[in-house]
Amino acid sequence: MNADLPVAPQWFRLTELDERTTLIEEPHVRPLLRANAWHLRGRDRDLLVDCGLGVTALAPLLRKRFGREPLLVVTHAHLDHMGSAHEFRQVGAHPLERVGDPVPGSLLGPVLAAQMGLDAPLPPVLLTAVPHHGYDPGAYRVRPADGTHPLTDGDHVDLGEHTLTVLHLPGHSPGSIVLFDEHDGTLFSGDVIYDDVLLDSLPGGDPQQYAHSLRRLRSLPVRLTRPGHGSSFGRNRLHHLIDGYLACVTG
Protein backbone atom coordinates (compact mmCIF):
# COMPACT_ATOMS: atom_id res chain seq x y z
CA MET A 1 0.00 0.00 0.00
CA ASN A 2 1.19 3.54 -0.88
CA ALA A 3 4.43 2.36 -2.45
CA ASP A 4 4.54 5.69 -4.26
CA LEU A 5 5.48 7.55 -1.04
CA PRO A 6 9.19 8.40 -0.97
CA VAL A 7 11.53 6.97 1.64
CA ALA A 8 12.66 9.60 4.15
CA PRO A 9 16.44 9.78 4.52
CA GLN A 10 15.92 10.54 8.22
CA TRP A 11 12.64 10.14 10.05
CA PHE A 12 13.19 12.28 13.17
CA ARG A 13 14.49 15.84 13.35
CA LEU A 14 16.24 16.79 16.60
CA THR A 15 16.81 20.47 17.38
CA GLU A 16 18.78 21.55 20.45
CA LEU A 17 17.08 24.65 21.87
CA ASP A 18 19.30 25.16 24.92
CA GLU A 19 21.79 23.21 27.02
CA ARG A 20 19.08 20.88 28.35
CA THR A 21 16.13 20.99 25.92
CA THR A 22 15.87 19.18 22.58
CA LEU A 23 12.80 19.32 20.34
CA ILE A 24 12.01 16.07 18.50
CA GLU A 25 9.79 16.25 15.42
CA GLU A 26 8.54 13.94 12.67
CA PRO A 27 8.62 16.23 9.60
CA HIS A 28 7.16 13.62 7.23
CA VAL A 29 3.87 13.45 9.12
CA ARG A 30 0.96 15.56 7.93
CA PRO A 31 0.05 18.53 10.17
CA LEU A 32 -2.91 16.95 12.02
CA LEU A 33 -0.61 14.32 13.58
CA ARG A 34 2.72 16.16 13.50
CA ALA A 35 3.39 16.47 17.22
CA ASN A 36 6.29 17.69 19.33
CA ALA A 37 8.27 15.55 21.73
CA TRP A 38 10.54 17.26 24.25
CA HIS A 39 13.75 15.76 25.63
CA LEU A 40 15.10 17.33 28.84
CA ARG A 41 18.62 16.53 29.99
CA GLY A 42 18.80 16.17 33.77
CA ARG A 43 21.64 15.67 36.22
CA ASP A 44 20.24 12.42 37.61
CA ARG A 45 18.01 11.30 34.75
CA ASP A 46 16.54 12.55 31.51
CA LEU A 47 12.89 13.18 30.70
CA LEU A 48 10.97 12.75 27.46
CA VAL A 49 7.59 14.50 27.24
CA ASP A 50 5.52 12.56 24.67
CA CYS A 51 7.02 10.35 21.98
CA GLY A 52 5.37 10.82 18.60
CA LEU A 53 3.52 8.33 16.42
CA GLY A 54 5.72 5.26 16.71
CA VAL A 55 6.12 4.96 12.94
CA THR A 56 9.71 3.88 13.55
CA ALA A 57 11.79 3.30 16.67
CA LEU A 58 12.66 6.33 18.81
CA ALA A 59 14.17 4.88 22.00
CA PRO A 60 17.37 3.50 20.36
CA LEU A 61 18.01 6.89 18.78
CA LEU A 62 17.75 8.65 22.15
CA ARG A 63 19.98 6.11 23.90
CA LYS A 64 22.62 6.63 21.23
CA ARG A 65 22.29 10.42 21.24
CA PHE A 66 22.15 11.01 25.01
CA GLY A 67 23.76 7.90 26.45
CA ARG A 68 20.78 6.76 28.51
CA GLU A 69 17.10 6.07 28.18
CA PRO A 70 14.81 8.81 29.53
CA LEU A 71 11.78 8.54 31.72
CA LEU A 72 8.82 9.01 29.37
CA VAL A 73 5.82 11.05 30.46
CA VAL A 74 2.81 10.79 28.16
CA THR A 75 0.62 13.88 28.40
CA HIS A 76 -2.35 11.95 27.00
CA ALA A 77 -3.04 8.75 25.07
CA HIS A 78 -3.71 10.06 21.56
CA LEU A 79 -1.67 8.25 18.91
CA ASP A 80 0.54 11.21 17.97
CA HIS A 81 1.73 11.54 21.57
CA MET A 82 2.11 7.93 22.73
CA GLY A 83 2.92 5.93 19.58
CA SER A 84 6.43 4.98 20.73
CA ALA A 85 5.51 4.49 24.42
CA HIS A 86 5.82 0.70 24.18
CA GLU A 87 9.58 1.13 23.52
CA PHE A 88 10.34 2.65 26.93
CA ARG A 89 10.88 0.89 30.26
CA GLN A 90 9.63 3.81 32.41
CA VAL A 91 6.37 5.45 31.35
CA GLY A 92 4.27 7.85 33.41
CA ALA A 93 0.71 8.88 32.57
CA HIS A 94 -2.53 9.82 34.26
CA PRO A 95 -4.69 6.80 35.24
CA LEU A 96 -7.59 8.06 33.12
CA GLU A 97 -5.56 7.75 29.92
CA ARG A 98 -5.63 4.41 28.09
CA VAL A 99 -1.89 3.95 27.60
CA GLY A 100 -2.14 0.25 28.50
CA ASP A 101 -5.13 -0.31 26.22
CA PRO A 102 -4.98 2.43 23.60
CA VAL A 103 -7.32 3.12 20.73
CA PRO A 104 -5.64 1.43 17.73
CA GLY A 105 -5.33 4.63 15.72
CA SER A 106 -4.59 4.74 12.01
CA LEU A 107 -2.41 6.53 9.46
CA LEU A 108 -5.24 6.28 6.93
CA GLY A 109 -7.30 9.46 6.95
CA PRO A 110 -10.81 8.00 6.56
CA VAL A 111 -10.19 5.36 9.25
CA LEU A 112 -8.79 7.89 11.72
CA ALA A 113 -11.63 10.35 11.03
CA ALA A 114 -14.15 7.65 11.93
CA GLN A 115 -12.27 6.78 15.14
CA MET A 116 -12.06 10.44 16.20
CA GLY A 117 -15.56 11.42 15.14
CA LEU A 118 -14.33 14.06 12.69
CA ASP A 119 -16.66 15.40 10.01
CA ALA A 120 -13.99 17.09 7.91
CA PRO A 121 -12.32 14.83 5.33
CA LEU A 122 -8.70 13.83 5.93
CA PRO A 123 -6.02 12.97 3.36
CA PRO A 124 -5.94 9.29 2.34
CA VAL A 125 -2.59 8.82 4.07
CA LEU A 126 -1.33 11.00 6.93
CA LEU A 127 2.34 10.66 5.95
CA THR A 128 4.30 12.37 3.19
CA ALA A 129 7.06 9.74 3.25
CA VAL A 130 7.77 6.33 4.79
CA PRO A 131 10.67 5.40 7.08
CA HIS A 132 11.93 2.52 4.92
CA HIS A 133 11.14 0.49 1.81
CA GLY A 134 8.21 -1.85 2.30
CA TYR A 135 6.59 0.14 5.10
CA ASP A 136 2.80 -0.22 4.98
CA PRO A 137 0.91 2.70 6.59
CA GLY A 138 -2.25 0.59 6.58
CA ALA A 139 -0.71 -1.87 9.04
CA TYR A 140 -0.05 0.82 11.67
CA ARG A 141 -1.50 0.30 15.15
CA VAL A 142 -0.78 1.96 18.49
CA ARG A 143 0.82 -0.59 20.80
CA PRO A 144 0.12 -0.61 24.57
CA ALA A 145 2.74 0.62 27.02
CA ASP A 146 3.69 -1.88 29.71
CA GLY A 147 4.57 -1.09 33.30
CA THR A 148 3.10 2.39 33.29
CA HIS A 149 3.15 4.19 36.64
CA PRO A 150 0.40 6.70 37.49
CA LEU A 151 0.98 10.44 37.58
CA THR A 152 -1.68 12.57 39.21
CA ASP A 153 -2.19 16.21 40.06
CA GLY A 154 0.57 17.58 42.29
CA ASP A 155 3.08 14.79 41.63
CA HIS A 156 6.67 15.75 40.91
CA VAL A 157 9.20 14.54 38.35
CA ASP A 158 12.69 15.05 39.77
CA LEU A 159 15.58 15.23 37.29
CA GLY A 160 18.14 16.29 39.90
CA GLU A 161 18.68 20.00 39.54
CA HIS A 162 15.16 20.52 38.17
CA THR A 163 11.81 19.29 39.42
CA LEU A 164 8.66 19.53 37.34
CA THR A 165 5.14 19.53 38.77
CA VAL A 166 2.37 17.44 37.23
CA LEU A 167 -0.96 19.21 36.74
CA HIS A 168 -4.10 17.31 35.73
CA LEU A 169 -5.95 19.56 33.28
CA PRO A 170 -8.77 17.59 31.61
CA GLY A 171 -10.89 18.79 28.72
CA HIS A 172 -8.98 17.80 25.59
CA SER A 173 -8.98 14.29 27.06
CA PRO A 174 -9.99 12.96 30.49
CA GLY A 175 -6.45 12.48 31.80
CA SER A 176 -4.55 15.24 30.05
CA ILE A 177 -1.59 16.44 32.09
CA VAL A 178 1.02 19.14 31.76
CA LEU A 179 4.45 19.49 33.35
CA PHE A 180 5.40 22.82 34.89
CA ASP A 181 8.91 23.84 35.88
CA GLU A 182 8.29 26.36 38.64
CA HIS A 183 11.99 27.22 38.77
CA ASP A 184 12.09 28.87 35.34
CA GLY A 185 8.39 29.09 34.38
CA THR A 186 8.50 26.59 31.51
CA LEU A 187 5.29 24.68 30.75
CA PHE A 188 5.22 21.45 28.73
CA SER A 189 1.58 21.55 27.76
CA GLY A 190 0.83 18.57 25.50
CA ASP A 191 -2.51 19.31 23.85
CA VAL A 192 -3.97 21.30 26.73
CA ILE A 193 -2.78 24.48 24.99
CA TYR A 194 -1.09 25.12 21.64
CA ASP A 195 -1.24 27.94 19.11
CA ASP A 196 -4.19 26.76 17.02
CA VAL A 197 -7.85 25.83 17.39
CA LEU A 198 -8.18 23.86 20.64
CA LEU A 199 -10.00 20.54 20.23
CA ASP A 200 -12.60 19.76 22.88
CA SER A 201 -14.97 17.50 20.91
CA LEU A 202 -12.82 14.42 20.38
CA PRO A 203 -13.90 11.25 22.22
CA GLY A 204 -13.45 12.00 25.92
CA GLY A 205 -13.34 15.77 25.42
CA ASP A 206 -15.35 18.10 27.64
CA PRO A 207 -15.65 21.87 26.99
CA GLN A 208 -16.66 22.73 30.56
CA GLN A 209 -13.75 20.81 32.05
CA TYR A 210 -11.50 22.39 29.46
CA ALA A 211 -12.61 25.88 30.46
CA HIS A 212 -11.94 25.12 34.13
CA SER A 213 -8.50 23.74 33.27
CA LEU A 214 -7.57 26.78 31.20
CA ARG A 215 -8.66 29.17 33.95
CA ARG A 216 -6.38 27.29 36.31
CA LEU A 217 -3.55 27.40 33.78
CA ARG A 218 -3.97 31.14 33.31
CA SER A 219 -3.30 31.74 37.01
CA LEU A 220 0.16 30.14 36.86
CA PRO A 221 3.37 32.16 36.41
CA VAL A 222 4.14 30.60 33.04
CA ARG A 223 6.99 32.26 31.17
CA LEU A 224 7.36 29.92 28.19
CA THR A 225 5.05 27.24 26.79
CA ARG A 226 6.47 24.20 24.97
CA PRO A 227 3.31 22.80 23.33
CA GLY A 228 2.43 19.44 21.85
CA HIS A 229 2.03 20.98 18.39
CA GLY A 230 3.58 23.99 16.68
CA SER A 231 5.96 26.63 17.96
CA SER A 232 6.70 27.66 21.54
CA PHE A 233 5.23 30.93 22.81
CA GLY A 234 5.38 33.33 25.74
CA ARG A 235 3.05 34.46 28.49
CA ASN A 236 1.10 37.05 26.50
CA ARG A 237 0.28 34.59 23.72
CA LEU A 238 -0.72 31.98 26.29
CA HIS A 239 -3.22 34.36 27.87
CA HIS A 240 -4.54 35.40 24.45
CA LEU A 241 -5.20 31.78 23.47
CA ILE A 242 -6.89 30.98 26.78
CA ASP A 243 -9.03 34.11 26.72
CA GLY A 244 -10.12 33.36 23.15
CA TYR A 245 -11.28 29.89 24.07
CA LEU A 246 -13.07 31.03 27.22
CA ALA A 247 -14.90 33.73 25.28
CA CYS A 248 -16.24 31.11 22.87
CA VAL A 249 -17.28 28.67 25.59
CA THR A 250 -19.00 31.24 27.78
CA GLY A 251 -20.60 32.98 24.82
Side-chain angles (χ1 to χ4, degrees):
M1 182 184 291
N2 303 301
D4 55 332
L5 289 176
V7 175
Q10 183 173 308
W11 188 256
F12 297 103
R13 179 171 61 211
L14 277 66
T15 306
E16 293 186 5
L17 302 179
D18 55 42
E19 66 278 1
R20 71 183 187 108
T21 309
T22 299
L23 169 62
I24 304 170
E25 301 169 281
E26 295 176 283
H28 305 290
V29 176
R30 292 193 181 274
L32 176 69
L33 295 181
R34 190 186 304 151
N36 299 329
W38 303 94
H39 185 278
L40 277 72
R41 189 69 168 169
R43 184 191 66 207
D44 297 339
R45 62 176 174 177
D46 296 348
L47 170 67
L48 180 65
V49 182
D50 290 337
C51 57
L53 276 171
V55 169
T56 192
L58 174 60
L61 173 66
L62 299 184
R63 287 194 294 265
K64 181 178 180 181
R65 176 73 172 261
F66 299 104
R68 57 187 178 184
E69 183 177 304
L71 162 68
L72 170 63
V73 170
V74 174
T75 61
H76 62 298
H78 290 164
L79 72 165
D80 47 338
H81 296 265
M82 72 151 288
S84 282
H86 66 277
E87 302 174 32
F88 293 84
R89 289 169 291 184
Q90 300 180 77
V91 181
H94 194 276
L96 292 177
E97 293 297 300
R98 294 176 52 183
V99 294
D101 178 30
V103 175
S106 180
L107 298 178
L108 305 183
V111 177
L112 186 64
Q115 290 180 0
M116 299 175 67
L118 297 176
D119 295 327
L122 298 179
V125 184
L126 296 165
L127 305 179
T128 60
V130 292
H132 55 77
H133 290 289
Y135 182 83
D136 179 8
Y140 171 90
R141 298 292 184 276
V142 180
R143 295 171 58 181
D146 296 325
T148 304
H149 68 269
L151 290 174
T152 57
D153 195 77
D155 285 347
H156 294 93
V157 177
D158 187 1
L159 305 184
E161 77 284 21
H162 283 275
T163 298
L164 293 92
T165 301
V166 176
L167 302 175
H168 177 214
L169 298 178
H172 177 75
S173 71
S176 281
I177 58 174
V178 304
L179 294 174
F180 183 47
D181 188 337
E182 299 178 31
H183 174 75
D184 67 3
T186 301
L187 176 77
F188 295 91
S189 66
D191 279 1
V192 171
I193 192 79
Y194 50 88
D195 198 349
D196 205 336
V197 177
L198 301 181
L199 298 178
D200 58 14
S201 59
L202 301 179
D206 186 314
Q208 295 306 313
Q209 282 192 331
Y210 212 156
H212 177 77
S213 293
L214 291 180
R215 291 187 186 98
R216 183 181 178 195
L217 185 57
R218 200 186 192 286
S219 69
L220 299 176
V222 176
R223 179 187 61 86
L224 176 66
T225 299
R226 303 287 198 193
H229 297 270
S231 300
S232 300
F233 47 88
R235 182 175 179 82
N236 289 341
R237 185 60 181 166
L238 173 67
H239 288 181
H240 178 81
L241 293 167
I242 291 173
D243 292 346
Y245 179 87
L246 294 177
C248 292
V249 171
T250 60

Coordinates of all heavy atoms in Angstrom, one line a residue, residues 211-250:
A211 N -12.6 24.5 30.0 CA -12.6 25.9 30.5 C -12.1 26.0 31.9 O -11.3 26.9 32.2 CB -14.0 26.4 30.4
H212 N -12.5 25.1 32.8 CA -11.9 25.1 34.1 C -10.4 24.9 34.1 O -9.7 25.6 34.9 CB -12.6 24.0 34.9 CG -12.1 23.9 36.4 ND1 -12.5 24.8 37.3 CD2 -11.2 23.1 36.9 CE1 -11.9 24.5 38.5 NE2 -11.1 23.4 38.3
S213 N -9.9 24.0 33.3 CA -8.5 23.7 33.3 C -7.7 25.0 32.8 O -6.7 25.3 33.3 CB -8.2 22.5 32.3 OG -8.7 21.3 32.9
L214 N -8.3 25.6 31.8 CA -7.6 26.8 31.2 C -7.6 28.0 32.2 O -6.6 28.7 32.2 CB -8.2 27.2 29.9 CG -7.9 26.2 28.7 CD1 -8.6 26.6 27.4 CD2 -6.4 25.9 28.5
R215 N -8.7 28.1 32.9 CA -8.7 29.2 33.9 C -7.6 28.9 35.0 O -6.9 29.8 35.4 CB -10.0 29.3 34.6 CG -11.1 29.8 33.7 CD -12.4 30.0 34.5 NE -13.5 30.4 33.6 CZ -14.4 29.5 33.2 NH1 -14.4 28.2 33.6 NH2 -15.4 29.9 32.4
R216 N -7.4 27.7 35.4 CA -6.4 27.3 36.3 C -5.0 27.6 35.7 O -4.1 28.1 36.4 CB -6.5 25.8 36.7 CG -5.5 25.4 37.7 CD -5.6 23.9 38.0 NE -4.6 23.5 39.0 CZ -4.3 22.2 39.2 NH1 -4.9 21.2 38.6 NH2 -3.4 21.9 40.1
L217 N -4.8 27.2 34.5 CA -3.6 27.4 33.8 C -3.2 28.9 33.7 O -2.1 29.3 33.8 CB -3.6 26.8 32.4 CG -2.3 26.8 31.6 CD1 -1.2 26.1 32.3 CD2 -2.6 26.2 30.2
R218 N -4.2 29.7 33.5 CA -4.0 31.1 33.3 C -3.4 31.8 34.6 O -2.7 32.8 34.6 CB -5.3 31.9 32.9 CG -5.0 33.2 32.2 CD -6.3 34.0 32.0 NE -6.2 35.1 31.1 CZ -5.6 36.3 31.5 NH1 -5.1 36.4 32.7 NH2 -5.5 37.3 30.6
S219 N -3.7 31.2 35.7 CA -3.3 31.7 37.0 C -1.8 31.4 37.3 O -1.3 31.9 38.3 CB -4.2 31.2 38.1 OG -4.0 29.8 38.4
L220 N -1.2 30.5 36.6 CA 0.2 30.1 36.9 C 1.2 31.1 36.3 O 0.9 31.7 35.2 CB 0.4 28.7 36.3 CG -0.4 27.6 36.8 CD1 -0.1 26.3 36.1 CD2 -0.2 27.4 38.3
P221 N 2.3 31.2 36.9 CA 3.4 32.2 36.4 C 4.2 31.5 35.3 O 5.4 31.3 35.4 CB 4.2 32.4 37.6 CG 4.1 31.1 38.4 CD 2.7 30.7 38.2
V222 N 3.5 31.2 34.2 CA 4.1 30.6 33.0 C 4.9 31.7 32.2 O 4.4 32.7 31.9 CB 3.1 29.9 32.1 CG1 3.8 29.3 30.9 CG2 2.4 28.8 32.9
R223 N 6.2 31.4 32.0 CA 7.0 32.3 31.2 C 7.1 31.8 29.7 O 7.0 32.6 28.8 CB 8.4 32.3 31.8 CG 9.4 33.2 31.0 CD 10.8 33.0 31.6 NE 11.3 31.7 31.4 CZ 11.9 31.2 30.3 NH1 12.1 32.0 29.3 NH2 12.3 29.9 30.3
L224 N 7.2 30.5 29.5 CA 7.4 29.9 28.2 C 6.6 28.6 28.1 O 6.7 27.8 29.0 CB 8.9 29.6 27.9 CG 9.2 29.0 26.6 CD1 8.9 29.9 25.4 CD2 10.7 28.6 26.6
T225 N 5.8 28.5 27.0 CA 5.1 27.2 26.8 C 5.7 26.4 25.7 O 5.9 27.0 24.6 CB 3.6 27.5 26.4 OG1 3.0 28.2 27.5 CG2 2.8 26.3 26.2
R226 N 6.0 25.2 26.0 CA 6.5 24.2 25.0 C 5.3 23.3 24.7 O 5.0 22.3 25.4 CB 7.6 23.4 25.5 CG 8.8 24.2 26.0 CD 9.6 24.8 24.9 NE 11.0 25.2 25.3 CZ 11.8 25.9 24.6 NH1 11.3 26.4 23.4 NH2 13.0 26.2 25.0
P227 N 4.6 23.5 23.6 CA 3.3 22.8 23.3 C 3.5 21.5 22.6 O 4.6 21.1 22.1 CB 2.5 23.8 22.4 CG 3.6 24.4 21.6 CD 4.8 24.6 22.6
G228 N 2.4 20.7 22.5 CA 2.4 19.4 21.8 C 2.4 19.6 20.3 O 2.7 18.6 19.6
H229 N 2.0 20.7 19.8 CA 2.0 21.0 18.4 C 2.5 22.4 18.2 O 2.1 23.3 18.9 CB 0.6 20.8 17.8 CG 0.1 19.4 17.9 ND1 0.3 18.5 17.0 CD2 -0.7 18.8 18.9 CE1 -0.3 17.3 17.3 NE2 -0.9 17.5 18.5
G230 N 3.2 22.6 17.1 CA 3.6 24.0 16.7 C 4.7 24.6 17.5 O 5.4 23.9 18.3
S231 N 4.8 25.9 17.4 CA 6.0 26.6 18.0 C 5.7 27.0 19.4 O 4.5 27.1 19.9 CB 6.2 27.9 17.2 OG 6.5 27.6 15.8
S232 N 6.8 27.2 20.1 CA 6.7 27.7 21.5 C 6.2 29.1 21.6 O 6.4 29.9 20.6 CB 8.1 27.5 22.2 OG 8.5 26.2 22.2
F233 N 5.7 29.5 22.7 CA 5.2 30.9 22.8 C 5.3 31.4 24.3 O 5.4 30.6 25.2 CB 3.8 31.1 22.3 CG 2.8 30.0 22.8 CD1 2.1 30.2 23.9 CD2 2.6 28.9 22.0 CE1 1.2 29.3 24.4 CE2 1.7 27.9 22.5 CZ 1.0 28.1 23.7
G234 N 5.2 32.7 24.4 CA 5.4 33.3 25.7 C 4.1 33.5 26.5 O 3.0 33.1 26.0
R235 N 4.2 34.3 27.6 CA 3.1 34.5 28.5 C 1.9 35.2 27.8 O 0.7 34.8 28.0 CB 3.5 35.2 29.7 CG 2.5 35.4 30.8 CD 3.1 36.1 32.0 NE 2.1 36.3 33.1 CZ 1.7 35.4 34.0 NH1 2.2 34.2 33.9 NH2 0.8 35.7 34.9
N236 N 2.2 36.3 27.1 CA 1.1 37.0 26.5 C 0.3 36.2 25.5 O -0.9 36.3 25.5 CB 1.7 38.3 25.8 CG 2.2 39.3 26.8 OD1 1.8 39.3 28.0 ND2 3.0 40.2 26.4
R237 N 1.0 35.4 24.7 CA 0.3 34.6 23.7 C -0.5 33.5 24.4 O -1.7 33.2 24.0 CB 1.3 34.0 22.7 CG 0.6 33.2 21.6 CD -0.3 34.0 20.8 NE -0.9 33.3 19.7 CZ -2.0 33.7 19.0 NH1 -2.5 35.0 19.3 NH2 -2.5 33.0 18.1
L238 N 0.0 33.0 25.5 CA -0.7 32.0 26.3 C -2.0 32.6 26.8 O -3.1 31.9 26.6 CB 0.1 31.5 27.5 CG -0.6 30.6 28.5 CD1 -0.9 29.3 27.9 CD2 0.3 30.5 29.8
H239 N -2.0 33.7 27.4 CA -3.2 34.4 27.9 C -4.2 34.7 26.7 O -5.4 34.5 26.9 CB -2.9 35.6 28.6 CG -2.2 35.3 30.0 ND1 -1.8 36.3 30.8 CD2 -1.9 34.2 30.6 CE1 -1.3 35.8 31.9 NE2 -1.3 34.5 31.8
H240 N -3.7 35.1 25.6 CA -4.5 35.4 24.5 C -5.3 34.1 24.0 O -6.5 34.2 23.7 CB -3.7 36.0 23.3 CG -4.5 36.3 22.1 ND1 -5.2 37.4 21.9 CD2 -4.7 35.6 20.9 CE1 -5.8 37.4 20.7 NE2 -5.5 36.3 20.1
L241 N -4.6 33.0 23.9 CA -5.2 31.8 23.5 C -6.3 31.3 24.5 O -7.4 30.9 24.1 CB -4.1 30.7 23.3 CG -3.1 30.9 22.1 CD1 -2.0 30.0 22.3 CD2 -3.8 30.8 20.8
I242 N -5.9 31.4 25.7 CA -6.9 31.0 26.8 C -8.1 31.9 26.8 O -9.3 31.4 26.8 CB -6.2 31.0 28.2 CG1 -5.2 29.9 28.3 CG2 -7.3 30.9 29.3 CD1 -4.3 30.0 29.5
D243 N -7.9 33.2 26.7 CA -9.0 34.1 26.7 C -9.9 33.9 25.5 O -11.2 34.0 25.6 CB -8.5 35.5 26.8 CG -7.8 35.9 28.1 OD1 -8.0 35.1 29.1 OD2 -7.1 36.9 28.2
G244 N -9.3 33.6 24.4 CA -10.1 33.4 23.2 C -11.0 32.1 23.3 O -12.2 32.2 22.9
Y245 N -10.5 31.1 23.9 CA -11.3 29.9 24.1 C -12.4 30.1 25.1 O -13.6 29.8 24.8 CB -10.4 28.7 24.6 CG -11.2 27.5 24.8 CD1 -11.4 26.6 23.8 CD2 -11.7 27.2 26.1 CE1 -12.2 25.4 24.0 CE2 -12.5 26.0 26.3 CZ -12.7 25.2 25.3 OH -13.4 24.0 25.5
L246 N -12.1 30.8 26.2 CA -13.1 31.0 27.2 C -14.2 31.9 26.7 O -15.4 31.7 27.1 CB -12.4 31.7 28.4 CG -11.4 30.8 29.2 CD1 -10.8 31.5 30.3 CD2 -12.1 29.5 29.7
A247 N -13.9 32.9 25.8 CA -14.9 33.7 25.3 C -15.9 32.9 24.4 O -17.1 33.2 24.4 CB -14.3 34.8 24.5
C248 N -15.4 32.0 23.7 CA -16.2 31.1 22.9 C -17.1 30.2 23.7 O -18.3 30.0 23.4 CB -15.4 30.3 21.9 SG -14.6 31.3 20.6
V249 N -16.6 29.6 24.8 CA -17.3 28.7 25.6 C -18.4 29.4 26.4 O -19.5 28.9 26.5 CB -16.3 27.9 26.5 CG1 -17.1 27.1 27.6 CG2 -15.4 27.0 25.7
T250 N -18.1 30.5 26.9 CA -19.0 31.2 27.8 C -20.0 32.1 27.0 O -20.9 32.6 27.5 CB -18.3 32.1 28.8 OG1 -17.4 33.1 28.1 CG2 -17.4 31.3 29.7

